[in-house]
Amino acid sequence: MSEDWRVGGFGVYVHWPFCLAKCPYCDFNSHVRGGIDEGRWRRALVDQVADAARQVPGRVVNSIFFGGGTPSLMPPETVAAVIAAIRTGWQLADGLEITLEANPTSVEAGRFRAFRDAGVNRISMGIQALNDDALRRLGRMHNVAEAIEAFEIARATFERVSFDLIYARQGQSLAQWREELGRAISLAVDHLSLYQLTIETGTRFGDLHARGRLRDLPDQELSADMYALTQEVCDAAGMGGYEISNHARPGAESRHNLIYWRYGDYAGIGPGAHGRLSIGGSRWAVESTRSPEAWLGAVETKATGPNMRSEIDGLDQGSEMLMMGLRLREGIDLDRYEHLAGRELSETLLSNLSEIGLLARSGNRISTTASGRIVLDSVLKVLINQ
Ligand SMILES: C[S@@+](CC[C@H](N)C(=O)[O-])C[C@H]1O[C@@H](n2cnc3c(N)ncnc32)[C@H](O)[C@@H]1O
Ligand code: SF4
């Protein structure tokens, strides 16, 4: 069981928790702060990479991902220092993927080149909408023209680029989404992340929604139609959905996210970052202190340390593997589940879910169908609580 992580490989996630403004829909661990002490942040991130390398030495790193927040606000020297620390701590795989999430407002060509020179080879950009009104309603600090310009600079600078869009927005019709998606595909290179707007509690949109003041959101039926349309249009363009919200030309999938979805191991560096590490025959969930200031203080004082570790038992590992793997079109291996969880999935349940068109079975693998992926939470509930 201790070597199970090798199915997915090993990656490093680095969280930069700062943004220029907080978007009203976003519940990521992101904060607006002035006067960030860049030197302290650089030293703390480097310290935490070294700490993780001591816990899981001898690994080959398949991917590094700078997420946020807005990591394109990081000083390129910090990105370079973190990559150097990862190189010191572990061996780097041939063809290592190094992704940085970029916001179209913080982009300028000089900084992009410096990120590239630091080793970044893939950009994932949050464009969110190709409609100026929608961008305003989403509280974004860029318009469509600025976003496209930033994306063109990224395309010219990096080997691999992707962008995010949010759909099922207020007042958006199916016809409008079809048109917007067509435009996105014409701009895209080989990867797109297309998310349905989720109203998260604790965000500004969450509060407005609770007070009945977030009008014109699509109902469940229209949202499902939008999802189906997304699959159809992307499939036809040769950018099939390899995961619920992610579309790529074959071979252009995000290797980093595949590590999560294939239930590999990953070190999480930075405030609120999560990790999964296999150590001494057990698998551990690692979670870091969320508050940026508390995290920085805990790293510097070493008194408590910023990371909480808890052991994941076999049954929960099986459940996590299902939750991740059934997001993917490729699905999961039933033997692997049995090996981790110490039990088999019920044949009766599997055939019932297949009969109603939510699961597909091929030899020893099961995967969700497109209809199954829309109701993934219900499918998982049935399988996990069997
Ligand atoms: C951590 S954000 C990073 C991107 C970058 N900070 C930006 O906003 O441009 C990752 C992506 O999650 C998506 N996202 C965040 N909150 C969402 C929500 N409530 N519903 C749907 N998608 C969301 C957005 O598309 C966003 O680009
Ligand atoms: S969507 Fe991106 S820019 Fe907006 S608050 Fe979240 S992390 Fe920051």
Side-chain angles (χ1 to χ4, degrees), residues 19 21-23 25-26 28 30 68-70 103 128 140:
C19 293
K22 182 80 187 175
C23 304
Y25 52 85
C26 177
F28 282 80
S30 58
T70 307
N103 206 310
Q128 319 305 5
R140 301 293 292 182

Side-chain angles (χ1 to χ4, degrees), residues 86-383:
I86 292 171
R87 187 179 291 119
T88 305
W90 295 289
Q91 196 186 324
L92 304 184
D94 290 341
L96 169 72
E97 176 181 281
I98 308 184
T99 307
L100 183 128
E101 277 182 345
N103 206 310
T105 39
S106 59
V107 161
E108 40 91 13
R111 183 174 282 215
F112 263 10
R113 276 199 294 276
F115 287 140
R116 185 192 60 196
D117 294 345
V120 172
N121 54 24
R122 183 172 181 272
I123 286 282
S124 169
M125 189 174 280
I127 290 184
Q128 319 305 5
L130 294 170
N131 172 305
D132 282 335
D133 274 344
L135 286 175
R136 248 190 312 276
R137 284 178 111 165
L138 290 172
R140 301 293 292 182
M141 295 173 73
H142 54 87
N143 60 26
V144 176
E146 285 160 344
I148 292 176
E149 196 187 327
F151 186 67
E152 292 303 329
I153 298 170
R155 272 183 82 149
T157 314
F158 294 92
E159 289 160 43
R160 300 175 63 200
V161 286
S162 173
F163 65 89
D164 301 349
L165 289 183
I166 297 178
Y167 68 98
R169 305 182 306 248
Q170 290 171 275
Q172 193 181 29
S173 70
L174 196 61
Q176 282 167 342
W177 174 231
R178 183 191 291 277
E179 203 244 351
E180 196 172 338
L181 186 55
R183 188 152 177 228
I185 286 172
S186 72
L187 290 167
V189 180
D190 54 18
H191 192 285
L192 279 175
S193 300
L194 305 168
Y195 301 109
Q196 289 213 18
L197 176 64
T198 314
I199 306 302
E200 309 279 1
T201 43
T203 61
R204 188 161 153 67
F205 271 10
D207 295 346
L208 288 171
H209 191 246
R211 286 187 279 132
R213 291 186 46 204
L214 202 66
R215 285 181 235 288
D216 298 334
L217 283 171
D219 58 19
Q220 241 181 341
E221 200 184 323
L222 179 54
S223 298
D225 288 348
M226 285 183 167
Y227 184 81
L229 175 76
T230 307
Q231 309 314 309
E232 196 185 294
V233 172
C234 288
D235 274 345
M239 291 192 44
Y242 66 99
E243 189 264 352
I244 294 182
S245 310
N246 284 279
H247 300 259
R249 293 201 192 284
E253 297 86 359
S254 155
R255 283 173 228 155
H256 190 84
N257 287 337
L258 282 176
I259 295 175
Y260 302 150
W261 296 321
R262 289 179 178 157
Y263 204 41
D265 260 10
Y266 48 96
I269 309 293
H274 291 253
R276 287 289 178 279
L277 295 176
S278 304
I279 305 171
S282 301
R283 202 165 205 149
W284 299 85
V286 188
E287 204 180 328
S288 307
T289 308
R290 261 178 88 82
S291 144
E293 292 74 20
W295 179 87
L296 190 59
V299 173
E300 289 177 341
T301 58
K302 303 252 176 227
T304 47
N307 304 320
M308 282 73 69
R309 243 168 58 163
S310 53
E311 194 173 347
I312 314 169
D313 68 27
L315 196 56
D316 284 346
Q317 287 185 50
S319 302
E320 288 195 335
M321 195 269 265
L322 278 183
M323 287 190 260
M324 291 289 145
L326 291 182
R327 301 179 65 89
L328 289 173
R329 197 180 265 198
E330 69 181 26
I332 59 123
D333 182 279
L334 288 171
D335 289 339
R336 187 180 179 204
Y337 175 82
E338 197 183 320
H339 187 60
L340 283 176
R343 69 170 191 181
E344 286 178 34
L345 287 173
S346 141
E347 278 298 336
T348 320
L349 277 182
L350 292 180
S351 8
N352 289 348
L353 289 167
S354 304
E355 260 163 46
I356 55 173
L358 300 180
L359 277 188
R361 180 127 186 213
S362 161
N364 234 7
R365 293 191 76 83
I366 53 164
S367 55
T368 40
T369 58
S371 329
R373 285 192 285 280
I374 298 183
V375 292
L376 180 61
D377 285 349
S378 314
V379 173
L380 286 169
K381 211 176 276 170
V382 169
L383 292 176

